[in-house]
Amino acid sequence: MDLARSEVAARGRRRQAAARLALMAGPVAFFAVFFAYPVVAIVGRGLKDGDGWHLGRIGQVLADSGVRHVLWFTTWQALVSTALTLLVALPGAYVFARLDFPGKKVLRAVVTVPFVLPTVVVGTAFLALVGRGGLLDELWGVRLDTTVWAILLAHVFFNYAVVVRTVGGLWAQLDPRQEEAARMLGASRTAAWRTVTLPALAPAVAAAALMVFLFTFTSFGVVQILGGPAFATLEVEIYRQTADVFDLSTAAVLTMIQFVAVGAILAVHARTVRRRETALRLVDASLTARRPRGAGQWALLAGVLVTVAVLLVLPLAVLVERSLDAPGFASYRALTSADSGVFLVPPIEAIGTSLQYAVAATAIAVVIGGLAATALTRRDAGRLVRGFDALLMLPLGVSAVTVGFGFLIALDEPPLDLRSSWILVPLAQALVGVPFVVRTMLPVLRAVDPRLREAAAVLGASPWRVWREVDLPLVRRALLVAAGFAFAVSLGEFGATVFIARPDNPTLPVAVARLLGRPGETNYGQAMALSTILMVVCAVALLVLERLRTDRTGEF
């Protein structure tokens, strides 16, 4: 009898392995066609001509002292930005995960809104705060524009939600009784948290830190506006070499450098996180969030509220105030007219276009990312699967400028002639959304006790039924969170979309950037009005998402 059971279990494991490889086929094909092919095409265009490959150009670019300075600053500011974001946002993750207070859902949506704003809008908002004539200049005569501090603060503003939602999502589902048991055995509150909770949170913290590092490593709009000529990241330099100088060979080398650096970082991260992941006991998040108790928790809640108000709400308030500068809502009324010559259609139409693209991109990202996360669930998978885990994150680290130009060059002839198709924009947006889906779902999927899957397989359940009956009930909430992240990212994606969005169908970020790039108070007011509308649309979408997440699989 035991031998028969062992054989059944072995067959079940083999079926699970075969199903995992089958699940990988879709994501592999998607990334090969819509990521690897366009990137290789644009890099090849830069390093190859009629005379053959010019690989010596790589050494020439690396020998340039200016390029080395850009590499140093890109890495340094990304590390500091990541550390500051974790320092500021981890208390917020605890508050949203463990404390229950009035207005919590609204505040969670407010926290997420900055993340989906276009980086050019974030840079402009902070310029209004810390630049010439900004709030700090008016109140205390302090200016931080064209300094690294303005860039670091803007990065914390932009990435605060990544840490709060990624870490807080898992933290809310950790069984607090494990930490309470350690306390009963004599451990102090700090020791219990350090030895029980922190190791359990390590995968989520590492995933959040990775995403923050990648976003700041490839920062473009924020550095372009706040850094001035003194500071430039790799992304800014790639854009300058491509759009201003039109030196595709230098841009191609810089893209390769960024690609290799990000690949190395992802490999180290995947190895580190895999060693520290364990099966966790997940519980209903509604059982872990409680009203603040004691002076310490009330003080922590007050501190987080002040941080949110000063760091996140204040810049958003600047956007609203600037959009209302013109009397009689003139900036908003101007959005219904195409007479400015900036667009072929009234700017207000960018709202509907962005929503349609974002819905399509979300559907693509959830399907591709869900398949990939399911395939990566087992931590004892082979090297091929583990390498695929790291490759899924590469779109976050490769220049969006490169991806956008690659789409134009590679997808312009049969059988992939998509330059005139509306689906091109959602495909580019989905590339950025898929890593969020994977990184949001994977920690929860890996936290499911594998014995539950093995028991289902022993009873004869197919891999699909195992997923439906075992994994889905626990991961449903994470799936909704992943969809929300993908939708929000799609709304705010700018780097690649700016090159492929059609003039008669601009997205909101593209419309804002074009308006900001033209002189005149009217254009500036319209840009602030569109930014405010984008902020409101994102807030409403996130609030709806909060109300839809009524299942009892956890809180995020």
Side-chain angles (χ1 to χ4, degrees):
M1 181 65 70
D2 292 339
L3 180 61
R5 289 181 177 177
S6 298
E7 291 178 353
V8 171
R11 286 198 299 270
R13 286 192 294 270
R14 287 194 294 270
R15 285 197 300 172
Q16 291 286 344
R20 184 166 60 248
L21 292 177
L23 289 171
M24 288 177 56
V28 168
F30 178 80
F31 275 81
V33 174
F34 298 112
F35 175 68
Y37 177 46
V39 171
V40 170
I42 188 64
V43 172
R45 179 70 63 91
L47 294 180
K48 185 180 180 181
D49 57 22
D51 298 330
W53 292 91
H54 296 279
L55 299 181
R57 182 61 178 157
I58 298 177
Q60 296 174 0
V61 173
L62 290 175
D64 190 296
S65 60
V67 171
R68 291 199 301 270
H69 175 76
V70 169
L71 289 172
W72 174 85
F73 175 73
T74 301
T75 305
W76 177 85
Q77 63 83 26
L79 289 172
V80 176
S81 295
T82 302
L84 286 176
T85 304
L86 290 174
L87 180 66
V88 174
L90 282 177
Y94 171 82
V95 165
F96 281 103
R98 294 300 198 191
L99 301 185
D100 188 21
F101 53 91
K104 180 178 177 179
K105 291 183 178 180
V106 175
L107 191 63
R108 183 187 285 112
V110 171
V111 164
T112 309
V113 167
F115 178 72
V116 301
L117 291 177
T119 54
V120 290
V121 176
V122 174
T124 303
F126 269 82
L127 194 63
L129 287 176
V130 303
R132 181 186 298 274
L135 183 62
L136 293 183
D137 192 14
E138 293 178 354
L139 294 179
W140 299 293
V142 176
R143 289 182 54 192
L144 297 178
D145 58 321
T146 68
T147 70
V148 71
W149 282 108
I151 296 172
L152 297 178
L153 288 174
H155 283 163
V156 175
F157 166 89
F158 190 76
N159 294 289
Y160 185 90
V162 175
V163 177
V164 167
R165 298 186 74 94
T166 304
V167 178
L170 183 59
W171 205 337
Q173 293 183 259
L174 295 181
D175 191 344
R177 290 174 294 183
Q178 298 180 52
E179 189 172 321
E180 293 170 0
R183 295 285 307 281
M184 292 180 63
L185 293 175
S188 64
R189 184 182 299 275
T190 302
W193 183 85
R194 187 180 67 252
T195 57
V196 177
T197 304
L198 184 58
L201 288 175
V205 173
L210 169 65
M211 286 189 283
V212 173
F213 182 85
L214 287 178
F215 286 134
T216 53
F217 189 84
T218 59
S219 183
F220 173 60
V222 168
V223 179
Q224 181 83 344
I225 294 175
L226 297 177
F231 303 104
T233 57
L234 271 173
E235 188 81 356
V236 173
E237 189 63 18
I238 290 172
Y239 178 82
R240 190 181 74 85
Q241 295 292 337
T242 303
D244 296 341
V245 183
F246 205 69
D247 186 350
L248 292 183
S249 64
T250 299
V253 173
L254 294 178
T255 297
M256 293 173 61
I257 294 172
Q258 185 167 298
F259 189 88
V260 171
V262 170
I265 295 166
L266 291 176
V268 173
H269 168 268
R271 187 179 183 87
T272 302
V273 171
R274 192 181 306 111
R275 288 178 174 177
R276 303 184 66 176
E277 285 181 331
T278 57
L280 308 176
R281 182 179 179 182
L282 303 182
V283 298
D284 185 352
S286 63
L287 302 177
T288 64
R290 300 172 180 173
R291 298 281 293 181
R293 294 177 295 182
Q297 288 190 348
W298 281 107
L300 181 61
L301 175 58
V304 169
L305 293 177
V306 170
T307 300
V308 170
V310 174
L311 182 64
L312 305 183
V313 176
L314 187 57
L316 300 180
V318 170
L319 292 180
V320 177
E321 186 273 332
R322 293 298 174 93
S323 72
L324 298 174
D325 272 351
F329 298 96
S331 296
Y332 289 90
R333 288 189 284 107
L335 296 177
T336 61
S337 173
D339 295 337
S340 64
V342 181
F343 306 103
L344 299 178
V345 296
I348 196 71
E349 294 191 12
I351 300 173
T353 301
S354 287
L355 291 176
Q356 294 172 15
Y357 287 161
V359 170
T362 300
I364 297 171
V366 168
V367 171
I368 299 299
L371 292 174
T374 304
L376 296 169
T377 298
R378 291 181 62 90
R379 293 183 295 275
D380 59 349
R383 291 184 177 181
L384 178 63
V385 178
R386 294 199 300 267
F388 179 59
D389 186 5
L391 290 175
L392 289 171
M393 297 296 293
L394 285 178
L396 298 181
V398 172
S399 168
V401 175
T402 300
V403 174
F405 267 116
F407 266 48
L408 294 179
I409 291 175
L411 306 180
D412 65 342
E413 57 185 11
L416 290 174
D417 187 4
L418 300 177
R419 288 185 62 173
S420 59
S421 174
W422 68 272
I423 196 64
L424 196 63
V425 174
L427 286 171
Q429 295 173 341
L431 280 173
V432 183
V434 168
F436 280 94
V437 175
V438 174
R439 295 267 71 86
T440 302
M441 294 180 62
L442 196 55
V444 178
L445 278 171
R446 284 181 171 171
V448 178
D449 192 336
R451 291 174 295 184
L452 296 175
R453 300 189 185 98
E454 293 173 0
V458 168
L459 294 175
S462 64
W464 163 245
R465 187 174 181 183
V466 171
W467 157 256
R468 187 178 70 248
E469 301 292 340
V470 177
D471 293 84
L472 184 59
L474 290 173
V475 80
R476 186 182 296 119
R477 185 175 296 268
L479 182 62
L480 288 171
V481 172
F485 254 130
F487 181 81
V489 170
S490 299
L491 278 178
E493 204 287 322
F494 170 71
T497 306
V498 69
F499 296 103
I500 57 180
R502 294 166 54 180
D504 57 341
N505 284 303
T507 63
L508 276 170
V510 171
V512 170
R514 290 179 182 174
L515 288 168
L516 285 174
R518 294 177 65 92
E521 291 296 327
T522 300
N523 290 323
Y524 182 80
Q526 289 184 78
M528 293 300 101
L530 278 180
S531 299
T532 301
I533 292 173
L534 175 58
M535 179 182 67
V536 172
V537 170
C538 293
V540 171
L542 293 168
L543 284 173
V544 170
L545 183 65
E546 293 294 336
R547 293 183 64 86
L548 289 176
R549 292 204 299 268
T550 56
D551 57 278
R552 301 178 61 82
T553 58
E555 180 75 15
F556 194 99

Short mmCIF file of all heavy atoms in Angstrom, two decimals, residues 107 114-115 148 189 217 267 275 286 308 316 322 329 368 384 395 398 407 415 442 458 475 477 505 539 546:
data_model
loop_
_atom_site.label_atom_id
_atom_site.label_comp_id
_atom_site.label_asym_id
_atom_site.label_seq_id
_atom_site.Cartn_x
_atom_site.Cartn_y
_atom_site.Cartn_z
N LEU A 107 -6.76 55.94 2.75
CA LEU A 107 -5.35 56.29 2.89
C LEU A 107 -4.47 55.33 2.08
O LEU A 107 -3.47 55.76 1.50
CB LEU A 107 -4.94 56.26 4.36
CG LEU A 107 -3.57 56.86 4.68
CD1 LEU A 107 -3.54 58.34 4.32
CD2 LEU A 107 -3.23 56.66 6.16
N PRO A 114 0.82 58.22 -5.88
CA PRO A 114 2.09 58.75 -6.40
C PRO A 114 2.84 57.78 -7.29
O PRO A 114 3.52 58.19 -8.22
CB PRO A 114 2.89 59.04 -5.12
CG PRO A 114 1.86 59.28 -4.07
CD PRO A 114 0.75 58.34 -4.40
N PHE A 115 2.69 56.49 -7.03
CA PHE A 115 3.45 55.51 -7.79
C PHE A 115 3.02 55.47 -9.25
O PHE A 115 3.83 55.13 -10.12
CB PHE A 115 3.28 54.13 -7.15
CG PHE A 115 3.98 53.03 -7.90
CD1 PHE A 115 5.37 52.94 -7.86
CD2 PHE A 115 3.28 52.11 -8.64
CE1 PHE A 115 6.02 51.94 -8.56
CE2 PHE A 115 3.92 51.12 -9.34
CZ PHE A 115 5.30 51.04 -9.29
N VAL A 148 21.16 66.51 -5.24
CA VAL A 148 20.83 65.10 -5.15
C VAL A 148 19.71 64.85 -4.14
O VAL A 148 18.97 63.87 -4.24
CB VAL A 148 22.09 64.29 -4.78
CG1 VAL A 148 22.50 64.55 -3.33
CG2 VAL A 148 21.88 62.80 -5.03
N ARG A 189 9.93 41.79 22.97
CA ARG A 189 9.17 42.14 21.77
C ARG A 189 10.10 42.30 20.57
O ARG A 189 9.82 41.83 19.48
CB ARG A 189 8.37 43.43 22.01
CG ARG A 189 7.47 43.81 20.83
CD ARG A 189 6.75 45.12 21.12
NE ARG A 189 5.91 45.03 22.28
CZ ARG A 189 4.65 44.58 22.26
NH1 ARG A 189 4.12 44.18 21.10
NH2 ARG A 189 3.94 44.52 23.36
N PHE A 217 17.33 52.95 -10.38
CA PHE A 217 18.49 52.72 -11.24
C PHE A 217 18.20 53.20 -12.66
O PHE A 217 19.08 53.70 -13.36
CB PHE A 217 18.85 51.24 -11.24
CG PHE A 217 20.15 50.92 -11.92
CD1 PHE A 217 21.35 51.03 -11.24
CD2 PHE A 217 20.17 50.48 -13.24
CE1 PHE A 217 22.56 50.74 -11.87
CE2 PHE A 217 21.36 50.18 -13.88
CZ PHE A 217 22.56 50.31 -13.18
N ALA A 267 20.30 38.15 -10.56
CA ALA A 267 20.82 36.82 -10.26
C ALA A 267 21.20 36.71 -8.79
O ALA A 267 20.87 35.72 -8.12
CB ALA A 267 22.03 36.53 -11.15
N ARG A 275 17.21 31.24 -0.76
CA ARG A 275 17.76 30.59 0.42
C ARG A 275 16.99 30.92 1.69
O ARG A 275 17.03 30.18 2.65
CB ARG A 275 19.22 31.01 0.60
CG ARG A 275 20.17 30.40 -0.42
CD ARG A 275 21.58 30.90 -0.22
NE ARG A 275 22.52 30.23 -1.11
CZ ARG A 275 23.81 30.53 -1.17
NH1 ARG A 275 24.31 31.49 -0.41
NH2 ARG A 275 24.61 29.87 -1.99
N SER A 286 -8.08 39.96 8.35
CA SER A 286 -9.03 40.67 9.22
C SER A 286 -8.86 40.27 10.68
O SER A 286 -9.32 40.98 11.58
CB SER A 286 -10.47 40.37 8.77
OG SER A 286 -10.76 38.99 8.91
N VAL A 308 3.01 60.57 5.55
CA VAL A 308 2.17 60.53 4.35
C VAL A 308 1.72 61.93 3.97
O VAL A 308 1.73 62.31 2.79
CB VAL A 308 0.96 59.60 4.58
CG1 VAL A 308 -0.04 59.73 3.44
CG2 VAL A 308 1.42 58.16 4.72
N LEU A 316 1.03 66.20 -4.09
CA LEU A 316 -0.22 66.04 -4.82
C LEU A 316 -1.09 67.29 -4.71
O LEU A 316 -1.76 67.68 -5.66
CB LEU A 316 -0.99 64.82 -4.31
CG LEU A 316 -0.27 63.47 -4.43
CD1 LEU A 316 -1.14 62.36 -3.88
CD2 LEU A 316 0.11 63.18 -5.87
N ARG A 322 -1.93 74.08 -8.67
CA ARG A 322 -1.46 74.63 -9.94
C ARG A 322 -2.50 74.47 -11.04
O ARG A 322 -2.59 75.30 -11.94
CB ARG A 322 -0.15 73.95 -10.35
CG ARG A 322 1.02 74.27 -9.42
CD ARG A 322 1.32 75.75 -9.43
NE ARG A 322 2.33 76.11 -8.46
CZ ARG A 322 3.63 76.19 -8.72
NH1 ARG A 322 4.07 75.92 -9.94
NH2 ARG A 322 4.48 76.53 -7.78
N PHE A 329 -11.77 77.72 -13.73
CA PHE A 329 -11.42 76.38 -14.23
C PHE A 329 -11.00 76.42 -15.69
O PHE A 329 -11.30 75.51 -16.48
CB PHE A 329 -12.60 75.41 -14.06
CG PHE A 329 -13.01 75.19 -12.63
CD1 PHE A 329 -14.05 75.92 -12.08
CD2 PHE A 329 -12.36 74.27 -11.84
CE1 PHE A 329 -14.44 75.74 -10.76
CE2 PHE A 329 -12.73 74.07 -10.51
CZ PHE A 329 -13.77 74.81 -9.98
N ILE A 368 -0.09 36.50 -18.39
CA ILE A 368 1.32 36.11 -18.55
C ILE A 368 1.99 36.00 -17.19
O ILE A 368 2.71 35.03 -16.91
CB ILE A 368 2.06 37.13 -19.43
CG1 ILE A 368 1.43 37.18 -20.84
CG2 ILE A 368 3.54 36.78 -19.52
CD1 ILE A 368 1.51 35.87 -21.59
N LEU A 384 17.02 26.14 -15.14
CA LEU A 384 16.30 26.81 -16.22
C LEU A 384 15.15 27.63 -15.67
O LEU A 384 14.95 28.79 -16.06
CB LEU A 384 15.79 25.76 -17.21
CG LEU A 384 14.97 26.30 -18.40
CD1 LEU A 384 15.83 27.22 -19.25
CD2 LEU A 384 14.41 25.15 -19.22
N PRO A 395 12.57 43.59 -17.85
CA PRO A 395 11.92 44.78 -18.43
C PRO A 395 11.93 45.99 -17.51
O PRO A 395 11.85 47.13 -17.98
CB PRO A 395 10.49 44.29 -18.69
CG PRO A 395 10.63 42.83 -18.93
CD PRO A 395 11.72 42.40 -17.98
N VAL A 398 15.71 47.45 -18.11
CA VAL A 398 16.17 47.84 -19.44
C VAL A 398 15.54 49.17 -19.80
O VAL A 398 14.39 49.46 -19.47
CB VAL A 398 15.80 46.76 -20.47
CG1 VAL A 398 16.10 47.24 -21.88
CG2 VAL A 398 16.57 45.49 -20.19
N PHE A 407 10.46 48.63 -30.49
CA PHE A 407 9.13 48.32 -31.03
C PHE A 407 8.96 48.91 -32.43
O PHE A 407 8.43 48.27 -33.33
CB PHE A 407 8.05 48.87 -30.09
CG PHE A 407 7.56 47.85 -29.08
CD1 PHE A 407 8.45 47.11 -28.35
CD2 PHE A 407 6.21 47.66 -28.88
CE1 PHE A 407 8.01 46.17 -27.42
CE2 PHE A 407 5.74 46.74 -27.96
CZ PHE A 407 6.65 45.99 -27.23
N PRO A 415 5.62 39.03 -40.21
CA PRO A 415 4.26 38.80 -39.70
C PRO A 415 3.92 39.60 -38.44
O PRO A 415 2.89 39.37 -37.84
CB PRO A 415 4.30 37.30 -39.38
CG PRO A 415 5.71 37.06 -38.94
CD PRO A 415 6.56 37.97 -39.80
N LEU A 442 4.12 35.66 -6.24
CA LEU A 442 5.07 34.58 -5.95
C LEU A 442 5.30 34.35 -4.46
O LEU A 442 5.29 33.18 -4.02
CB LEU A 442 6.40 34.86 -6.66
CG LEU A 442 7.36 33.68 -6.78
CD1 LEU A 442 6.69 32.48 -7.44
CD2 LEU A 442 8.60 34.09 -7.57
N VAL A 458 -1.92 13.10 -4.76
CA VAL A 458 -2.07 11.70 -4.37
C VAL A 458 -3.51 11.23 -4.56
O VAL A 458 -3.77 10.09 -4.96
CB VAL A 458 -1.63 11.50 -2.90
CG1 VAL A 458 -2.04 10.13 -2.39
CG2 VAL A 458 -0.12 11.67 -2.79
N VAL A 475 -4.43 32.58 -3.03
CA VAL A 475 -3.73 33.60 -3.81
C VAL A 475 -4.69 34.57 -4.47
O VAL A 475 -4.26 35.52 -5.12
CB VAL A 475 -2.85 32.91 -4.88
CG1 VAL A 475 -3.68 32.49 -6.09
CG2 VAL A 475 -1.71 33.81 -5.30
N ARG A 477 -6.53 36.99 -3.38
CA ARG A 477 -6.32 38.39 -2.99
C ARG A 477 -5.04 38.95 -3.62
O ARG A 477 -5.02 40.08 -4.11
CB ARG A 477 -6.27 38.52 -1.47
CG ARG A 477 -6.18 39.96 -0.98
CD ARG A 477 -6.26 40.02 0.54
NE ARG A 477 -7.55 39.55 1.00
CZ ARG A 477 -8.59 40.35 1.21
NH1 ARG A 477 -8.49 41.63 0.98
NH2 ARG A 477 -9.72 39.86 1.66
N ASN A 505 -4.18 59.35 -30.59
CA ASN A 505 -4.57 58.56 -29.43
C ASN A 505 -3.50 58.65 -28.33
O ASN A 505 -2.92 57.65 -27.92
CB ASN A 505 -4.77 57.08 -29.81
CG ASN A 505 -6.06 56.84 -30.54
OD1 ASN A 505 -7.15 57.16 -30.04
ND2 ASN A 505 -5.97 56.31 -31.74
N ALA A 539 -6.93 57.11 -8.03
CA ALA A 539 -7.46 56.99 -6.67
C ALA A 539 -8.80 56.26 -6.69
O ALA A 539 -9.06 55.39 -5.85
CB ALA A 539 -7.61 58.37 -6.04
N GLU A 546 -10.14 48.19 -3.52
CA GLU A 546 -10.23 47.90 -2.09
C GLU A 546 -11.59 47.30 -1.75
O GLU A 546 -11.70 46.38 -0.94
CB GLU A 546 -10.01 49.18 -1.30
CG GLU A 546 -8.60 49.76 -1.40
CD GLU A 546 -7.56 48.86 -0.76
OE1 GLU A 546 -7.92 48.06 0.13
OE2 GLU A 546 -6.39 48.94 -1.15
#
